[in-house]
Amino acid sequence: MAVDATQPYDDQNIFAKILRGEIPNQTVYQDDFALAFHDINPQAPTHVLVIPKGAYVSWDDFSAKASDAEIAGFVRAVGKVARDMGLVAPGYRLLANAGTDSHQEVPHLHVHLFAGKPLGPMLVR
Ligand code: AMP
């Protein structure tokens, strides 16, 4: 079910459990600010999720409340994952759903990183 991106942070969400080590994940990268892991239901040959280690519901919450260090650390981690996975050429797509119209399902900010084939038009009309 899609989540309301304005709701308070729920520390029982699945990505919070992954961050606490209560649920396994296929880690690609982690540092002080971010964890990257393979999506459990990949929509492209490469489908990685990058999440901040802090408790933020969505891009809206993160961009308003996170510290400059957290924002810089997270953005740099997304770029590093793409570079380290060799995705800069031929390219990749980033996507962050926020709120009900975007169909965000997990109420912890995550950036999807898709790659591995021509990804087609941005949205299906
Ligand atoms: P969104 O619709 O943007 O909230 O995307 C949530 C994503 O989380 C989906 O692509 C799911 O396949 C993925 N997902 C849900 N549970 C897990 C999990 N335990 N490990 C990895 N990915 C997951």
Side-chain angles (χ1 to χ4, degrees), residues 1-3 14-15 18 23-26 37-43 47-49 95-99 102-112 114:
M1 192 170 125
V3 299
I14 198 145
F15 294 169
I18 284 176
I23 291 178
N25 72 94
Q26 285 186 273
F37 52 97
H38 289 285
D39 195 290
I40 204 167
N41 182 24
Q43 305 295 312
H47 184 175
V48 167
L49 301 172
L95 183 150
N97 292 317
S102 75
H103 211 77
Q104 180 181 1
E105 290 181 346
V106 179
H108 182 112
L109 170 62
H110 47 286
V111 169
H112 297 257
F114 301 105

Side-chain angles (χ1 to χ4, degrees), residues 30-106:
Q30 68 172 316
D31 61 21
D32 288 348
F33 296 105
L35 173 69
F37 52 97
H38 289 285
D39 195 290
I40 204 167
N41 182 24
Q43 305 295 312
T46 297
H47 184 175
V48 167
L49 301 172
V50 191
I51 69 174
K53 288 206 167 165
Y56 299 102
V57 175
S58 67
W59 191 270
D60 179 66
D61 190 24
F62 184 68
S63 61
K65 297 182 190 152
S67 69
D68 289 355
E70 287 176 298
I71 292 171
F74 180 66
V75 171
R76 288 198 186 281
V78 174
K80 180 170 172 51
V81 168
R83 278 191 302 281
D84 288 356
M85 295 183 79
L87 306 178
V88 176
Y92 60 90
R93 178 173 293 159
L94 301 178
L95 183 150
N97 292 317
T100 49
D101 270 6
S102 75
H103 211 77
Q104 180 181 1
E105 290 181 346
V106 179

